[in-house]
Every structure is written in structure tokens, then in C-alpha cells.
Amino acid sequence: GHGQMNISPLPLFEFEAHRGGANCLAVVVEGTTLSVVSGGDDQSLHLLCLSFKWEDEENMRKRPTFSLRSSFTVPSAHASAVRAVSAEGDLIVTSGYDQRIAVWKRRSEGEDKLVFKASIFGEVPDVSALVCSSLSCSGGEHRKDVAEESNHAAVMAVGFGAEVVYIDKQ
């Protein structure tokens, strides 16, 4: 038979980011920093940056401890509820019931924040998921080193239909 995994949820960090429901989130891990971008019914985007470390560095089975590094909110990121968010490195893409696909950059010089870069009106209503991926000319094989240097990305939005949007990451 198949082995069983013992899962016992244990709250490690709690934080209230939205006035109402949080609908989506994306996570970026860089070293010992965990950046969480969430979108909510309140039309806002929230960036929460946490530092984490393991209680016992030699035994990764111990639980991590988290501390708040920073918190940043974009109050009216969309004209309606934010329904989808995707992150790749510092590139953040969001969408909501307003059918707008918005592009943001995560900045951490001095203070952690989200900076609006551009938006377009999408053709797909009721977007429920976004996937953002860097594009590279590496002969079809995905290479992380090439993708990180790429200036372009493709965003697939899925809802009542699907569309792919090409963006310049500059």
C-alpha cells in the first residue's frame, strides 16, 4: 500500500490583511524571506514580508519561526474584488472582476512595497486564476538562469475562457 503522511496543522503566524475575504495569494521565497501577496474582496492588494528561521538549524524537521519584516497595502488596486494573483520574482500580476490585468513590481529598497507598472483590459470575464512565466529563447527548454534574465513574460488568465497576454518586464 501507499505510505501515509501524518499532517498536523500548527498556526505559525497570523495577520489580518483585508477588510473581508482574501481571495488569492502568491508566495515568493528568497533566502530567509517569505513574501506573500494577497488580493481580497476589499479591492486591495497586500504585501506581507516575513523573515523565517528554523528553531534547530541542523534538524529541518523542527518548526520554523516567523517574524514580521514589513507590511504594505495598495487600497484600491482594482475597481472590484481581486480574484487572482501570480508572482515570479519581483513581477506580480493581478486580476479581478473588473477584467483588468494589472502588472506590479515588488520593490524592497528601503521599504517593501508594490509599484504599479501597467494594466490592460482582459478579454476573459471572471478571471479565477493567473499564471505568469518568463519567456526565453533557449530552444524550448526552461532554464532558470535564462528566465531570470528575460525581459518578457507570458501571462495566462483563466475564467470564462482563457487568454495569454505578452508583457515587457521592464
Side-chain angles (χ1 to χ4, degrees):
H2 296 286
Q4 291 186 345
M5 184 184 305
N6 183 14
I7 299 175
S8 54
L10 178 65
L12 297 176
F13 191 85
E14 293 182 28
F15 189 85
E16 188 172 322
H18 297 278
R19 297 179 324 269
N23 297 325
C24 52
L25 63 88
V27 177
V28 176
V29 179
E30 294 173 322
T32 59
T33 300
L34 186 75
S35 297
V36 180
V37 180
S38 62
D41 284 335
D42 60 1
Q43 305 173 8
S44 75
L45 278 181
H46 193 83
L47 172 63
L48 181 66
C49 295
L50 303 171
S51 295
F52 68 92
K53 65 179 180 177
W54 297 97
E55 285 184 354
D56 180 2
E57 295 289 336
E58 295 178 20
N59 183 358
M60 297 297 269
R61 291 177 173 230
K62 298 280 186 177
R63 74 178 213 170
T65 57
F66 291 89
S67 59
L68 179 64
R69 187 173 108 181
S70 65
S71 172
F72 180 80
T73 300
V74 180
S76 296
H78 283 266
S80 61
V82 181
R83 300 286 300 149
V85 62
S86 182
E88 183 177 274
D90 290 338
L91 181 68
I92 311 294
V93 182
T94 61
S95 190
Y97 285 133
D98 60 3
Q99 282 187 250
R100 203 166 51 98
I101 297 173
V103 180
W104 309 80
K105 281 285 200 169
R106 181 173 51 93
R107 298 276 188 236
S108 56
E109 300 92 34
E111 64 177 309
D112 298 303
K113 62 183 176 180
L114 296 173
V115 177
F116 175 78
K117 299 307 270 182
S119 72
I120 64 163
F121 185 79
E123 297 295 323
V124 175
D126 197 18
V127 170
S128 58
L130 288 170
V131 176
C132 179
S133 181
S134 291
L135 298 175
S136 62
C137 300
S138 59
E141 69 180 80
H142 180 74
R143 290 183 28 212
K144 186 177 171 80
D145 58 329
V146 175
E148 287 175 352
E149 294 174 7
S150 172
N151 290 330
H152 303 95
V155 176
M156 176 174 263
V158 179
F160 288 132
E163 74 177 311
V164 176
V165 178
Y166 178 76
I167 60 173
D168 185 341
K169 290 172 28 178
Q170 299 294 333

